[in-house]
Amino acid sequence: MATDRRSPALATAGWYVLLSALSLLVLFPVYMLVLRALSNPLEYIAQGQPLYPVQPEWDVFATAFSEADLGRALGLSALVTSIIVVVQLLTSVLAAYAFAFLEFPLKRVMFVMVVGTLLLPIEVTLIANVETMRTLSWLNSVQGLTFPFLATAFGIFLIRQGFLGVPGELRDAATLDGYGHLRFLFRVAMPMTRPIIGSFVVISFLGAWNQYVWPRFATDRQSWQTVQVALRSIGSDRVDRLNIGFAAAIVAALPLLALLIFFQRQMVRGLTAGAVKG
Amino acid sequence: MSGVTFQQVTKRFGDVVAVDQLTLDVLDGEFMVLLGPSGCGKSTALRMIAGLEEVSDGLLTIGDRVVNHVPPQDRDIAMVFQSYALYPHMTVARNIESPLVANKRARVDADERERRVKEAAATLGLEEYLGRKPGELSGGQRQRVALARAIVRRPEVFLMDEPLSNLDAKLRTQTRLELVELHRRLGTTFVYVTHDQVEAMTMADRIAVIADGRLQQVGAPQAVYERPANLFVAGFIGSPPMNTLRGVVSPGTPAAVTTPSGTVRVADRGTAADDTEVVAGIRPEDLSVVPPGGEGVVGRVENVELLGHERHLVVSCDGHVLVVRQDNGEPTPAVGETVTLAARPEHVHLFDPAGSGRLN
Amino acid sequence: MTDLPGAEAGAEDLVRAAPTAPLGPRSGDGRRRLRDALMAYLFLLPALVTFAVFAYYPLYRLFWYATHRQPRFRNRPPTYVGFSQLWDSLTSRDFAQGLLHSATFMLYTVPLGLVLGVVLAVAAHRRLRGIKVFQTIFSSTVATSVAVASVVFFTLVNPEVGYFRNVTWLSLNDPTSAMFAVSLSSVWQNLGLTFIVVLAALQAVPEELNEAALLDGFGPVRRFFRVTVPLISPALLFLAIVLVIHALQAYAQIEILTGGGPAGSTETLLYKIADPKNIRSLDLKAGLSIGLFVLTGLVAFVQYTLLSRRVHYGD
Ligand SMILES: Nc1ncnc2c1ncn2[C@@H]1O[C@H](COP(=O)(O)OP(=O)(O)OP(=O)(O)O)[C@@H](O)[C@H]1O
Ligand SMILES: [Mg+2]
């Protein structure tokens, strides 16, 4: 802790030193990845693995696209992620609307059914779902990669919470103005919960893009590997081709880096949802 | 245009009876105020007119149509809420036009819509704010947007639920006048809910006083003030509230009520029989200090509240506290002094202590 | 409020009409209610169908697989052998070992992850020029997936080409250190999340509370433990649970960094379930999955009870 009473300037300098040291700790692994991606793998090892690039090969990213089929993997990831995000948003908004604004028999039972899925993440149901896909011949297919994720309890809860924040008098006013359910949903409820919906989209994207276990086992052909799954080949790659795998990892992280930079607020709100509210 | 009629209307929320057998006729074009303490059921009554709450029992009529099961958007009413309930993401113009857009039945073509929005905005002096969002307006401006949204649909009945309670005191006084003016101009039925008796007294054609879900009295403000139907109304309307003294009716004419601290003359004893217990109600302005030894109730001055334009004497008489309203010109008794108070006999109200109903 | 009789006086204004008129078409409300219900079911249908097919049906299938023996020959149907087979799976060496390894992974990732997250957040929670830059750096690992983080750590701990290949306590070749090295990749990958959540919690602590504690004469250390920690405890609890769940679901880092080795020392429960080399029987894997399901349920239960009791000041 700071001894800010004695010398503010010194204390400030101390904080900068600490913050820089911590930044180094966080960034060192990233630096190593970039370093290894750019260096010629064999030369780098031959030089005794220094902390600076060796014989930088800037075309490694192009090579990753041309030789390691990175473009196809990225395309598949993008497709799968888009489908999951868009459909999750739709199913979550609709279900959240029903739970927040409508009265109907068996509401509690259905809500419990949604809550229950929190105990059934894909890791638990992996084996059975893979068998289902095998039966349906959906291994190595877009529907196989996406269908299990077309709805999410997290999204339903989050958006329902947002909808519940719409003041009662506003709903009454809308009723009197003659809004039907769909109109109210799209013209009032959704615009009013835009920040929460934004957070959900960001978190949903994060989750879908980063998935590993399901796409790993819902596919058994290399041509159906998402970019995350493609990264696993690093362990079996020839040493002289390691830089391509490292470059692929950098490319795989770029969309999320962009997300973090441009949608930081939504991401923070989404990640902390549940933490502060409980 | 049309009035609103409640016939034995009851509203239950589970075990809670929010409105109990309400029978009330709101006349066509009338400014009716539903007045009562918090939780008495006045909002519930209003929301039943709007169709936001279902009627549990009884008949609710708007115009000559029974509306018990008519959905809200088909009732031809407009409502102004306490929180204004404006759509925060829409501009003022879009807020005002929303009843004309959202309601299939009320939909009008774009030109007509624009004309009506302009007109409503002009009526409430909102022309320059049409492009703003509610968040960029002051409380009073928002309130006027809510009013504009209500008048744009030209409803049969206006419903307002404490629309002034979020305004500061000065703005509230001003808006009160504007609402009365608006009512005069539109000539439409207004049903207005408030717990503020000043609002009720100043705006209403008639007041309906409600307590515990039940109607206590209906009448013109002055009539309710002058002849409260029961002890509740007597205590609720008027500030400071009516003084009450328990006593026994003494035989003879003119009638009098004998209390432990003295005698109160009554001009009209009504149905109060000799030797029965009654509660005498006297408004602070109907009490005056008389020379010692005169007829009246005797008490000790506890406090003198100076209000500038008048004075309130707080007098304790055998455990009862009486408040006397005095003009500045009258002589002031000192605190601690013993005074005799006399009431104007023609302004003494008698109530039944058991049923609390009015006797004279 | 006193109980008062109903409307009596003022009757001159009161029109008392007996409710003899018909109640009007009753169907209005009923139809509206029916329409609302139908709409609700329609709205819920996509989500509930998804859950039914990809969450609840698989749960049923897990029990089915766990209680059936797969035939030796493909053309025969599986035979029911009963819950004793599930019991065997849950008492198997594989389950005990997987559990132990998952618990070890948890032990390495959860406390360390929390402490580092708090350190980063406390360091970055102050008004300094350029603090945003540091905050962005500390958040940056949320942009990495488990797979990317694993590749990142591949450059550090791979026994042949990693930067720290000669550091024995990070060796992936040694069964005693391999799990720790793998855990570090998760700790690093989770730093962004823990940092973001703790920082948000710190920012939510009212400034006056710190000032009040300052006036009360608390030193900075005591102020931190007496005022700040209790106030951010809900966030810490939330993070602890998230990290426990992440640990239960750890897979990619193991496949990419060690392949479960050396000598199976990094085979967590999920690794045994996923079984990338396909060496276990379906019924055993189904049994292990049910074990994972129970563990997930336990965590959720703890989360629920703790959160409903509210560890903090309440609100
Ligand atoms: N949706 C509801 N469910 C259950 N009880 C309700 C509901 N709405 C109102 N009540 C109850 O009905 C009674 C009357 O409520 P209402 O809102 O009409 O009071 P009010 O006179 O408008 O009071 P206020 O001046 O505080 O707004 C109260 O006891 C209230 O608790
Ligand atoms: Mg109310």
Side-chain angles (χ1 to χ4, degrees):
Chain A
M1 295 292 134
T3 53
D4 25 45
R5 248 162 282 166
R6 260 166 253 161
S7 160
L10 205 65
T12 306
W15 281 114
Y16 279 119
V17 169
L18 178 68
L19 286 165
S20 306
L22 291 171
S23 302
L24 212 63
L25 198 72
V26 173
L27 290 181
F28 176 70
V30 183
Y31 175 73
M32 287 307 288
L33 181 72
V34 177
L35 178 70
R36 300 293 302 256
L38 294 179
S39 301
N40 175 297
L42 294 177
E43 282 300 318
Y44 180 81
I45 292 167
Q47 295 241 345
Q49 308 207 4
L51 279 174
Y52 49 84
V54 176
Q55 289 189 15
E57 294 173 3
W58 295 98
D59 56 354
V60 64
F61 294 101
T63 315
F65 276 92
S66 60
E67 287 182 24
D69 220 5
L70 188 57
R72 188 211 42 75
L74 280 173
L76 182 63
S77 279
L79 176 69
V80 167
T81 302
S82 324
I83 293 174
I84 290 178
V85 171
V86 170
V87 182
Q88 270 191 357
L89 178 63
L90 197 72
T91 58
S92 300
V93 163
L94 292 179
Y97 187 87
F99 285 129
F101 294 125
L102 296 173
E103 289 305 323
F104 51 93
L106 298 180
K107 185 169 174 175
R108 281 191 71 86
V109 174
M110 295 188 180
F111 195 71
V112 168
M113 202 176 148
V114 176
V115 175
T117 63
L118 295 176
L119 305 185
L120 296 165
I122 195 71
E123 286 79 7
V124 167
T125 54
L126 179 70
I127 295 303
N129 270 324
V130 169
E131 290 307 315
T132 306
M133 294 300 161
R134 203 189 305 285
T135 316
L136 295 172
S137 303
W138 279 5
L139 292 176
N140 307 308
S141 71
V142 173
Q143 62 270 35
L145 286 171
T146 53
F147 276 24
F149 305 99
L150 296 188
T152 149
F154 172 72
I156 295 174
F157 294 154
L158 192 68
I159 296 173
R160 169 178 166 269
Q161 210 57 41
F163 284 168
L164 289 178
V166 175
E169 289 200 338
L170 197 75
R171 286 179 56 200
D172 292 339
T175 308
L176 294 182
D177 282 353
Y179 281 88
H181 286 303
L182 283 176
R183 222 184 159 79
F184 179 68
L185 170 59
F186 290 111
R187 296 290 174 81
V188 181
M190 277 183 74
M192 282 187 69
T193 39
R194 226 175 28 206
I196 287 180
I197 289 176
S199 302
F200 171 67
V201 167
V202 170
I203 297 300
S204 168
F205 185 98
L206 194 76
W209 182 266
N210 282 348
Q211 272 199 86
Y212 184 89
V213 175
W214 179 250
R216 163 78 174 83
F217 291 96
T219 60
D220 51 18
R221 284 197 218 125
Q222 202 165 4
S223 57
W224 279 94
Q225 285 182 349
T226 61
V227 69
Q228 304 292 337
V229 177
L231 292 181
R232 81 189 169 95
S233 62
I234 193 88
S236 50
D237 275 346
R238 296 208 323 263
V239 172
D240 63 335
R241 290 173 55 85
L242 278 177
N243 56 341
I244 297 175
F246 296 141
I250 294 172
V251 174
L254 286 182
L256 294 189
L257 204 60
L259 205 67
L260 176 69
I261 290 167
F262 295 114
F263 298 100
Q264 191 159 16
R265 212 152 12 110
Q266 285 82 351
M267 187 177 278
V268 169
R269 206 182 309 111
L271 290 176
T272 49
V276 186
K277 288 255 176 71
Chain B
M1 278 196 290
S2 43
V4 177
T5 309
F6 289 90
Q7 286 178 50
Q8 309 266 345
V9 169
T10 297
K11 176 65 191 179
R12 280 180 289 268
F13 295 106
D15 291 338
V16 180
V17 181
V19 173
D20 193 0
Q21 304 234 8
L22 176 64
T23 296
L24 175 66
D25 204 9
V26 182
L27 304 177
D28 188 1
E30 170 174 54
F31 197 133
M32 170 66 84
V33 172
L34 306 184
L35 177 67
S38 183
C40 71
K42 50 197 190 300
S43 290
T44 306
L46 195 75
R47 292 167 59 83
M48 283 193 284
I49 305 177
L52 295 168
E53 303 286 358
E54 276 176 37
V55 174
S56 309
D57 246 319
L59 267 192
L60 181 62
T61 316
I62 299 178
D64 44 20
R65 185 162 65 136
V66 174
V67 293
N68 281 38
H69 304 296
V70 176
Q73 67 271 21
D74 299 338
R75 290 193 181 197
D76 216 1
I77 47 97
M79 187 156 169
V80 178
F81 295 87
Q82 179 174 358
S83 65
Y84 316 141
L86 301 177
Y87 305 111
H89 57 291
M90 296 182 190
T91 60
V92 168
R94 308 264 282 140
N95 264 287
I96 295 176
E97 72 174 14
S98 101
L100 302 178
V101 178
N103 193 344
K104 286 195 199 85
R105 268 164 248 245
R107 234 173 258 172
V108 293
D109 64 59
D111 290 344
E112 167 73 0
R113 194 162 73 218
E114 205 186 316
R115 214 179 52 70
R116 284 222 227 160
V117 169
K118 284 242 169 71
E119 183 189 296
T123 306
L124 290 148
L126 288 167
E127 294 102 323
E128 51 186 307
Y129 308 117
L130 284 174
R132 293 210 204 159
K133 298 223 171 124
E136 300 157 357
L137 298 178
S138 73
Q141 290 162 344
R142 278 182 230 178
Q143 213 271 345
R144 293 215 293 279
V145 177
L147 279 171
R149 180 173 64 179
I151 65 174
V152 79
R153 62 191 292 174
R154 300 181 179 160
E156 298 282 352
V157 182
F158 279 102
L159 308 175
M160 307 196 182
D161 194 349
E162 314 208 13
L164 305 185
S165 58
N166 282 349
L167 300 180
D168 65 48
K170 188 156 165 263
L171 206 50
R172 208 178 301 165
T173 315
Q174 180 194 334
T175 315
R176 237 158 46 199
L177 295 173
E178 287 174 6
L179 277 178
V180 171
E181 173 57 29
L182 187 70
H183 174 249
R184 207 167 289 148
R185 201 163 354 144
L186 298 173
T188 315
T189 313
F190 274 42
V191 184
Y192 184 106
V193 161
T194 183
H195 59 251
D196 179 348
Q197 51 162 318
V198 178
E199 277 177 31
M201 298 296 283
T202 52
M203 298 163 73
D205 291 332
R206 286 194 305 157
I207 297 177
V209 183
I210 300 175
D212 272 345
R214 296 197 204 143
L215 183 65
Q216 306 297 319
Q217 186 173 10
V218 197
Q222 199 58 37
V224 173
Y225 184 82
E226 282 169 3
R227 289 181 64 77
N230 56 38
L231 274 174
F232 174 80
V233 179
F236 191 71
I237 302 226
S239 173
M242 185 184 280
N243 299 300
T244 54
L245 278 170
R246 260 168 185 274
V248 175
V249 180
S250 25
T253 32
V257 176
T258 310
T259 75
S261 42
T263 307
V264 178
R265 290 250 160 250
V266 186
D268 170 18
R269 69 193 296 183
T271 57
D274 286 350
D275 296 324
T276 51
E277 265 213 46
V278 293
V279 175
I282 311 153
R283 296 227 178 258
E285 62 267 30
D286 297 329
L287 274 176
S288 53
V289 179
V290 294
E295 189 173 55
V297 291
V298 179
R300 181 174 170 277
V301 177
E302 298 286 339
N303 198 4
V304 179
E305 296 171 349
L306 301 173
L307 299 179
H309 61 295
E310 64 183 31
R311 278 195 302 265
H312 295 170
L313 299 189
V314 182
V315 179
S316 106
C317 300
D318 191 43
H320 285 73
V321 172
L322 301 184
V323 176
V324 182
R325 184 178 278 171
Q326 276 195 316
D327 283 339
N328 284 338
E330 297 173 50
T332 328
V335 173
E337 202 177 309
T338 300
V339 291
T340 305
L341 302 174
R344 290 153 66 187
E346 63 277 22
H347 288 287
V348 176
H349 313 260
L350 295 183
F351 300 99
D352 176 4
S356 95
R358 186 180 185 89
L359 297 170
N360 57 347
Chain C
M1 206 148 298
T2 46
D3 192 24
L4 296 166
E8 244 127 30
E12 71 271 14
D13 291 320
L14 229 151
V15 180
R16 266 191 192 276
T20 44
L23 263 177
R26 171 126 231 152
S27 56
D29 298 330
R31 212 180 308 137
R32 192 170 1 148
R33 225 171 274 151
L34 186 69
R35 219 186 36 217
D36 278 12
L38 287 180
M39 186 142 246
Y41 296 138
L42 197 68
F43 280 7
L44 285 170
L45 192 69
L48 292 186
V49 166
T50 306
F51 293 151
V53 177
F54 299 106
Y56 289 104
Y57 173 69
L59 180 63
Y60 160 75
R61 290 303 285 175
L62 285 180
F63 278 97
W64 195 89
Y65 291 131
T67 52
H68 285 71
R69 179 168 297 139
Q70 294 296 317
R72 203 159 299 183
F73 303 103
R74 275 260 164 211
N75 53 0
R76 293 268 199 78
T79 46
Y80 178 76
V81 292
F83 279 82
S84 62
Q85 181 177 272
L86 171 59
W87 182 247
D88 289 345
S89 307
L90 291 177
T91 51
S92 64
R93 232 182 90 76
D94 269 325
F95 185 71
Q97 224 178 36
L99 201 59
L100 178 70
H101 293 157
S102 289
T104 313
F105 188 89
M106 233 175 259
L107 200 72
Y108 288 150
T109 52
V110 181
L112 186 58
L114 279 179
V115 168
L116 284 178
V118 171
V119 168
L120 291 183
V122 168
H125 176 52
R126 59 197 67 251
R127 267 181 232 107
L128 282 181
R129 259 172 171 284
I131 196 70
K132 279 263 175 273
V133 176
F134 292 107
Q135 290 178 350
T136 305
I137 290 173
F138 295 168
S139 318
S140 63
T141 72
V142 288
T144 62
S145 64
V146 186
V148 169
S150 306
V151 176
V152 168
F153 267 67
F154 187 93
T155 69
L156 299 178
V157 297
N158 180 269
E160 281 82 43
V161 301
Y163 188 74
F164 296 119
R165 63 198 171 287
N166 296 325
V167 179
T168 48
W169 51 275
L170 286 177
S171 170
L172 289 182
N173 280 339
D174 183 345
T176 56
S177 59
M179 188 62 101
F180 182 69
V182 174
S183 305
L184 280 187
S185 81
S186 289
V187 170
W188 180 78
Q189 194 233 337
N190 287 326
L191 275 183
L193 171 73
T194 41
F195 168 74
I196 285 173
V197 172
V198 178
L199 182 67
L202 285 176
Q203 286 168 342
V205 173
E207 192 54 40
E208 302 93 69
L209 270 176
N210 270 320
E211 285 163 1
L214 196 64
L215 291 179
D216 288 348
F218 284 106
V221 176
R222 288 222 296 171
R223 200 159 73 226
F224 178 74
F225 284 104
R226 292 281 191 88
V227 180
T228 311
V229 170
L231 285 171
I232 63 170
S233 61
L236 295 181
L237 179 74
F238 165 80
L239 278 176
I241 284 159
V242 168
L243 292 182
V244 165
I245 291 172
H246 279 187
L248 275 182
Q249 300 177 345
Y251 177 80
Q253 54 274 63
I254 294 155
E255 177 165 44
I256 293 175
L257 288 173
T258 68
S265 64
T266 54
E267 285 195 353
T268 55
L269 189 53
L270 180 60
Y271 192 88
K272 285 175 189 287
I273 291 169
D275 192 24
K277 300 191 188 84
N278 208 1
I279 50 176
R280 294 184 185 86
S281 66
L282 188 59
D283 55 71
L284 174 61
K285 290 191 280 190
L288 299 183
S289 297
I290 289 167
L292 184 62
F293 168 63
V294 172
L295 290 176
T296 309
L298 275 177
V299 175
F301 179 75
V302 170
Q303 173 178 26
Y304 179 77
T305 46
L306 286 181
L307 284 184
S308 54
R309 254 201 288 143
R310 295 216 167 233
V311 224
H312 61 143
Y313 45 97
D315 53 7

